[in-house]
Amino acid sequence: WHPCHRVGTTVHVAVDGQYVGHIVISDQVKEDSKEAIAALKAQGVKKTVMLTGDNALTAGAIARSVGVLDVVADVMPADKERHVRALQDEGRSVAMVGDGINDSPALARADVGLAIGTGADIAKEGADVVLMRSDLMDVARAIELSRAVIRNIKQDLFWALFYNACGIPLAAGVLFPLLGWQLSPMFGAAAMSLSSLCVCANALRLRGFKPSATDRIAPIAGH
């Protein structure tokens, strides 16, 4: 064992049968990794896991440096997929983030697969979402944007239900015997067109969406 094992894979070097030293090989942690994990926690993500084929000591050191508490190391591609399936069997909604060929089975298995745009083509093919930049903060931004879209859809459904609940009885003349209110076909057609315009206008508000990169799905970072 050597202390360098904590930060990378050690390759021992010998020349003419004589040991001359060692080389430590390690992946460089992205500068935004720690910030991205913090943003996911701020969004209410309940569990963040690192799945990696690296050895446990290296994986543990990297995980601690970025704030990930759960690490599964020394895994094969099929093991990543099995781990995602196990989380789903626990009733969790799982998002998988990855960029390599070995991440593709897990990306396909996850409820939402997010592939890094600069990664392998097969990873992007198996993913549901492709992040165009190699920026892990885009994972938090994508979750926040998806929540904004869902809020927008719920708003449209609510107002459409309210609008029709009021307009259909009026147009059908249900209130005419009681109050003398009735909606002419001309105004009814105009009102329906206005309803469609309101839905479109509400959707267009998303063009001005500015993520705060803060805000529940269980992402797993593939490494």
Side-chain angles (χ1 to χ4, degrees):
W1 179 87
H2 189 280
C4 291
H5 283 133
R6 292 187 176 276
V7 293
T9 301
T10 302
V11 177
H12 297 280
V13 181
V15 177
D16 296 329
Q18 297 294 319
Y19 178 77
V20 295
H22 60 268
I23 301 172
V24 179
I25 303 173
S26 64
D27 291 329
Q28 185 175 1
V29 179
K30 292 180 179 293
E31 294 181 358
D32 57 0
S33 298
K34 188 172 183 177
E35 183 182 0
I37 297 300
L40 292 173
K41 290 179 179 179
Q43 289 177 332
V45 173
K46 295 179 180 179
K47 185 181 182 68
T48 304
V49 182
M50 175 190 286
L51 291 177
T52 176
D54 288 346
N55 66 72
L57 289 173
T58 300
I62 293 174
R64 286 191 296 272
S65 70
V66 298
V68 174
L69 300 179
D70 297 285
V71 183
V72 182
D74 296 309
V75 293
M76 301 296 288
D79 296 325
K80 292 186 178 184
E81 188 273 340
R82 279 196 292 271
H83 191 81
V84 170
R85 192 175 348 126
L87 288 173
Q88 292 172 325
D89 291 341
E90 294 175 5
R92 298 178 183 271
S93 295
V94 181
M96 170 73 190
V97 184
D99 63 354
I101 295 174
N102 57 343
D103 295 321
S104 55
L107 287 168
R109 163 62 62 178
D111 296 283
V112 179
L114 297 98
I116 306 298
T118 56
D121 288 340
I122 191 171
K124 289 183 279 187
E125 286 293 330
D128 302 293
V129 178
V130 178
L131 306 176
M132 301 309 295
R133 301 180 301 176
S134 182
D135 182 353
L136 291 178
M137 282 298 295
D138 282 346
V139 176
R141 295 182 187 115
I143 293 174
E144 192 174 355
L145 176 59
S146 68
R147 289 174 177 171
V149 171
I150 294 298
R151 282 197 302 270
N152 191 285
I153 293 172
K154 288 180 178 179
Q155 290 165 2
D156 289 341
L157 289 174
F158 170 79
W159 287 111
L161 180 62
F162 176 79
Y163 189 85
N164 285 283
C166 296
I168 290 175
L170 189 61
V174 174
L175 301 178
F176 185 77
L178 296 175
L179 303 173
W181 294 353
Q182 190 171 17
L183 192 66
S184 73
M186 183 184 302
F187 284 107
M192 288 305 297
S193 299
L194 180 62
S195 172
S196 298
L197 287 174
C198 290
V199 169
C200 292
N202 191 36
L204 287 172
R205 290 191 308 112
L206 292 172
R207 290 173 60 88
F209 172 78
K210 289 184 173 57
S212 61
T214 51
D215 258 306
R216 281 177 263 212
I217 200 165
I220 299 180
H223 174 66

